[in-house]
Amino acid sequence: MHSILTLNSKLMVLNFLLLFPTLLSANEPDTLFVRDMDEIVVVSTAKEHASLRNQPLSSSSFGNTQLQEKGINDIKDLTAHIPGLFIPNYGSRLTSSIYLRGVGSRIGTPAIGMYIDDIPLANMSSMDQDLSDADRIDVLRGPQGTLYGRNTIGGLIRVYTKNPMNYQGTDIMLGAATYNNYRARATHYHRPSEHFAFSAGLSYEHLGGFYKNRALDGQKADGGDDLAAHWRGIFRPSERVNLDLSARYQWTKEGAYPYAAHEGEDAGEVAYNRPSSYLRHQLSVGLKAEHDLDRVMFVSTTGFQFLKDDMNMDQDFSRLDLYTLQQKQNSKVLSEEIAIKSKNKGRWQWTNGVNFQYQWLRTEAPVTFYREGIDWLSGMINRNLPDLTAQGMGPMSITFTNNEMPMGGTFHTPALNLGVFHQSSIEIVKNLSLIAGIRLDYEHYKMSYNAPGSVDFDFAMKGARPQNSVPLPGLHAEPIFLGKLSDHDLHVLPKVALKYDFGQKGSNVYASVSRGYRSGGYNVQLFSDLLQTEMQRLMMQEIDAGTEKYLTDLFAGNSHVPAGHVEMIMGRIRAGMPKVEQPNVAEVTHYKPETSWNYEIGSHLNFFDGRLKADLAAFWIETRDLQISQMAESGMGRITINAGKSRSRGLEASLQVAVTDDFSLNAAYGFTHAIATLEDAEGCKHRVRVPFAPRHSMSVGAQYTWHTNGWMQDITLGTIGRGNGRIYWTRDNDISQPFYALLDTRLSVRHNDLELAFWGNNLTATHYDAFSFYTRGQVFAQKGTPLQFGLDLRLKL
């Protein structure tokens, strides 16, 4: 690792000496000015009155030019560019595991919220999508529950697309990269009248895949295709009314989960016998209606999302034919929010609002055992059966006769959320403001489940003599879980902040206290484990009843057998049989909401007419009922558990410097010390690092532009180094990824509205794990993205 860091450092110094640049296009101003323009646009959001850096919170914002420079095409690409943010790329768009300030979630409910054009995305399965039309991305760190409610306990990501009222033309992008990656995008922006404008676009991406599956003749394990379409129409019938209608659709089909074992004959290589895949259809529709009522602004935001997907995973990740996991989701989400905010520029500004959200979610999650897996299951059960040879009887054995054995079911998990909120900003004295708000959130969530199973098996107890043997062929057990559960929660989410503005434009210091929460829920992937337990319990009952009947019939009418002989034998058998209790579904599957208090101080600094910008923040977060994702004990699926308390402390800093009009520097750093206090089965408490929370996250970049009088009007060269680590992957901290650093660079040339860019990622070919986990006594991991080069062509018509 030391040699890798040394190499990165040398390359970074070389790049700085070469004056690596910032990309400037013919129709866009420089990056710092774009960022200022982005700040102005923030004022038009439904709830805030001030630009982002004038609010008492830690935040980062990237404009369109920066998104291109940094190669940000989806939210995973934000990792390390944002202090404290980590979004692991674990091989599928199934879910977006976002971690910020030591707060995050692997599965279940999100810990970081996400909005696109002020329309909320309700679940993690919809967050990893094409963002080719993004004009700006904001990341707000710390709980945003007062204004945004549930599942923003760690922060909020807001994406804004280009507004066709302000931008017209046709943007075309063609790209190609090593590993057979290809991308094409086209979006048209048109304003046929002063009252109406629209944009429409298509994008397609083909991923050839980085890794081959050695067990399937070298097929690519992680290739895929994405097709996306988006439309946005803005209608302004008058100066007071604005209607913004948007629709986004994405189809994804990919090979997925290229996980490799750390040890064994296939160490470091993907090698499992059944292909894994993910298929998704996703549609999102939103309508934002604004009405200017002189003294107040009325904003109604309506959203609808539909998601249908199908995941298939070789859950043992090996050449063995043990078991697979399938998960199908059918989700529909309807949301409505009404906000009214004051328009006055006086000492008191306020926002009131109510919101409603309802989600219908149907999930099918069967685990299917195959022959080797069935033998593995029977072997586990047989190891727990008694050997009664010393009592004159023989060893016992169970043989499953199924060739395939599915375990799972169908689950309906609807959720209702209602909220009402208020926030005020009061200027106490000149330059000193008090920001205070409160939200009341009510949640009601349910689960109806129908999880059947079926097993055919033979039982045998072989004794030294025939009369001591018990053959029981053709036994059958049908475990089933059928029922309903529900729970509800009421949360109060206050926020209090003090902000002092300096004389320089946009400079301030602040201190804040806020509360957030993440919803509770139910673990549907745990039902395969429950069915196994219930299957064993019913099998023991079948064996008990069958053995007693067999012995009773065997000794019936035999005068040489003393009375009570059958009862004596059955007593010996029952004493040695494993005791299996019927699972309590409610206790096992339910996990409680996670809540936190966030204490923060920070500053936004602006110097030299905006040429130097610095953002600093220190935070302290106390979390209760911490939700941690882990593999189920059987290895069949991931579950969320409540793991006690956690404390997260850290620092965040970012710096942007325009040395000249053509040369700029930027840096970001986040330090997170996140510790969880867990309690084991014996009641002993111990402290561990919170999984998936990198201790250090950082990026350093430089950009330079040469202006010429030739055909190549601008030549832009830029580089950025970014790093994360150490990252612990498991609750017990027995697997981790040390700090690693990557180096990316980009060279572009521009002529009028045509731009050609050459780029390279991970130029040092650093080896690292993007994601890792432990199951069935083995460590598996997905390798990070290797060295890759690409070429992008952009054209505006």
Side-chain angles (χ1 to χ4, degrees), residues 284-353:
S284 178
V285 180
L287 173 63
K288 180 180 176 182
E290 297 176 301
H291 193 177
D292 187 339
L293 300 174
D294 289 332
R295 295 184 179 182
V296 300
M297 178 67 75
F298 175 91
V299 183
S300 169
T301 307
T302 307
F304 175 77
Q305 294 155 48
F306 169 76
L307 182 141
K308 184 178 181 181
D309 67 1
D310 186 359
M311 176 198 72
N312 288 277
M313 183 188 296
D314 187 338
Q315 189 69 15
D316 57 83
F317 313 112
S318 70
R319 295 177 183 267
L320 299 174
D321 201 19
L322 297 180
Y323 45 79
T324 60
L325 169 66
Q326 182 181 33
Q327 177 178 286
K328 291 184 177 182
Q329 295 182 115
N330 190 309
S331 170
K332 294 177 281 291
V333 182
L334 178 65
S335 63
E336 172 64 32
E337 181 173 87
I338 296 175
I340 303 175
K341 68 176 183 179
S342 61
K343 287 186 60 183
N344 63 296
K345 300 298 182 181
R347 298 178 61 182
W348 178 36
Q349 296 175 332
W350 51 264
T351 300
N352 295 319

Side-chain angles (χ1 to χ4, degrees), residues 44-334:
S44 67
T45 60
K47 303 169 188 178
E48 290 102 338
H49 291 84
S51 62
L52 199 54
R53 296 185 75 247
N54 282 320
Q55 296 181 39
L57 55 86
S58 180
S59 62
S60 299
S61 183
F62 292 149
N64 179 262
T65 301
Q66 293 174 292
L67 296 176
Q68 292 182 23
E69 290 172 355
K70 299 177 185 296
I72 296 173
N73 298 300
D74 55 45
I75 60 171
K76 295 191 296 291
D77 296 328
L78 290 170
T79 293
H81 294 296
I82 305 294
L85 179 68
F86 179 62
I87 309 176
N89 181 4
Y90 61 92
S92 173
R93 291 187 185 269
L94 170 67
T95 185
S96 297
S97 305
I98 309 175
Y99 297 83
L100 189 58
R101 290 187 170 181
V103 179
S105 58
R106 176 76 176 85
I107 60 172
T109 53
I112 314 298
M114 185 171 174
Y115 282 62
I116 297 181
D117 289 330
D118 292 324
I119 306 298
L121 302 182
N123 54 59
M124 294 162 61
S125 296
S126 61
M127 292 182 178
D128 189 358
Q129 58 177 275
D130 174 71
L131 299 179
S132 59
D133 58 335
D135 193 44
R136 192 183 78 251
I137 297 180
D138 300 334
V139 179
L140 286 62
R141 295 182 285 273
Q144 305 299 319
T146 304
L147 288 181
Y148 292 94
R150 64 197 290 269
N151 302 336
T152 58
I153 187 172
L156 180 70
I157 298 175
R158 302 188 307 202
V159 179
Y160 295 96
T161 63
K162 288 183 180 179
N163 188 327
M165 281 286 183
N166 305 325
Y167 182 89
Q168 286 84 47
T170 301
D171 290 344
I172 297 175
M173 181 270 183
L174 300 174
T178 52
Y179 295 95
N180 292 320
N181 287 10
Y182 305 101
R183 180 180 298 152
R185 301 170 180 168
T187 304
H188 180 66
Y189 303 86
H190 187 53
R191 185 175 181 176
S193 73
E194 63 178 4
H195 299 294
F196 177 68
F198 72 92
S199 64
L202 286 172
S203 67
Y204 171 75
E205 183 174 13
H206 171 76
L207 302 176
F210 297 112
Y211 307 110
K212 295 181 179 180
N213 188 339
R214 292 179 59 181
L216 290 175
D217 299 324
Q219 295 180 17
K220 285 296 179 70
D222 57 334
D225 295 277
D226 277 287
L227 179 64
H230 51 87
W231 185 90
R232 183 181 181 188
I234 299 178
F235 179 51
R236 293 178 180 169
S238 69
E239 293 183 357
R240 294 178 176 270
V241 177
N242 185 80
L243 302 176
D244 190 340
L245 176 64
S246 61
R248 307 177 67 87
Y249 171 78
Q250 185 168 4
W251 172 85
T252 298
K253 183 178 182 181
E254 57 188 9
Y257 318 106
Y259 302 151
H262 272 197
E263 299 177 349
E265 62 174 321
D266 294 313
E269 300 289 343
V270 180
Y272 35 87
N273 63 297
R274 292 181 181 267
S276 296
S277 62
Y278 181 60
L279 175 65
R280 182 181 72 177
H281 298 271
Q282 177 178 281
L283 173 67
S284 178
V285 180
L287 173 63
K288 180 180 176 182
E290 297 176 301
H291 193 177
D292 187 339
L293 300 174
D294 289 332
R295 295 184 179 182
V296 300
M297 178 67 75
F298 175 91
V299 183
S300 169
T301 307
T302 307
F304 175 77
Q305 294 155 48
F306 169 76
L307 182 141
K308 184 178 181 181
D309 67 1
D310 186 359
M311 176 198 72
N312 288 277
M313 183 188 296
D314 187 338
Q315 189 69 15
D316 57 83
F317 313 112
S318 70
R319 295 177 183 267
L320 299 174
D321 201 19
L322 297 180
Y323 45 79
T324 60
L325 169 66
Q326 182 181 33
Q327 177 178 286
K328 291 184 177 182
Q329 295 182 115
N330 190 309
S331 170
K332 294 177 281 291
V333 182
L334 178 65

